[in-house]
Amino acid sequence: MKFFKTMFALSFITALFIVGCAVQQPVQPIPDFSPTTFNSNDYVSALDNFLIILDASSSMDDRYNGNKKFVTAREIVKHLSQTLPELGQNAGLRSFGHSPKVSDKLTVLFYGMEEYTQKGLNEKSGLVSRAGGTSPMHTALTAAREDLKTFSGKTAVVIISDGQEAMGLKLPITLEAAQALKNQMGEDLCFYPIFVGDDEKGMHLMEEIANIGKCGFVTKADKLMTGSGMGQFVQDVFLTKKPMVQAPAPTPIVATPPAVEKAWVVGEAYFDFDKSIIKPAGFEFLDKVVDVLKSRPALFVKIQGHTDSIGTRKYNDALSLRRAKAVKTYLINKGIDKNRLSCEGFAFSKPVASNKTAEGRAMNRRVELYPVTK
């Protein structure tokens, strides 16, 4: 009898072992990743800011395609930091959920908001080392309003998640939080959810969030595990390629300044893309401006720089101001008192032609001078 009991026990243990092996999926090694290289001389940033929201809740500890979903999510952040060039963007990384050994808070801003560096994003993502806890995505989206409240311009919120909210938590609370963030940032904000897993309800949530942004899209995590896939994602979301061919110069205006009550547009000095160097063709016009200012010592000039719409607002703000300052420097070197000259940069906020054509963008890369009497 004892023999049969022993054999039964052994058979039962063996059966449990076999079932356990059948349920437990083998861990698949993370495939090698060769990042796509983007030359910063060929691209400008399409964004002023981006915030990554990383799901580190307990459901991310479940396996998908042979690995924990959380491992896949962390790898995506790493791949992004290896691929995206540093172009002056502001960046942040916020997580939600996570193990109590990482933080006892529901959501934490581990990186930023600060000027993006590849090293900074990669190192700070390593602090989110374990998944666990509930799935308060709505809490992270609400906290993101504080992260972004002092930032303006084109903004992307990248959410890496399986879309599985906490048990009993209704979908609308997450969508309401996403909508509130969209309302705060306006048309400049787009959502780019990255879906990890195969849960249909989770995918539906991510699609609904993207729809709230009205300008983003959902990407499946599997696609971003390859260098080419991540490269395409970075190009689609984060970058704008610089024009390869410059448009022909617009027709020059007469090299005589108009009446002092009107704006003077330096027509022969339209700037090349991404440049603030005055073309020699504009010197004669500016020399005429110098003659007028010397004959009218009570006249002051507001110099206003402008750009086309390629690139971020932050970058073009600086570029338009550099163009205005280049004209100011020219006038000062010709003997005009610097105290009579002031500079402003308007980026692409005041176009005089369509930015949808090369010719229109060329005309928007300009400097205007407004003579005033004080």
Side-chain angles (χ1 to χ4, degrees), residues 175-192:
L175 299 182
E176 288 169 5
Q179 186 65 63
L181 180 56
K182 174 67 175 180
N183 293 344
Q184 173 180 300
M185 300 297 294
E187 62 181 12
D188 285 334
L189 178 112
C190 300
F191 289 109
Y192 296 95

Side-chain angles (χ1 to χ4, degrees), residues 36-47 50 79-89 116-118 231 234-235 238-240:
T36 300
T37 301
F38 292 99
N39 190 328
S40 58
N41 293 323
D42 297 330
Y43 292 87
V44 294
S45 179
L47 301 172
F50 69 92
H79 293 173
L80 178 60
S81 69
Q82 293 173 324
T83 306
L84 179 60
E86 300 169 0
L87 296 171
Q89 319 94 315
Y116 163 71
T117 65
Q118 294 179 321
V234 166
Q235 188 166 352
F238 294 88
L239 302 176
T240 298

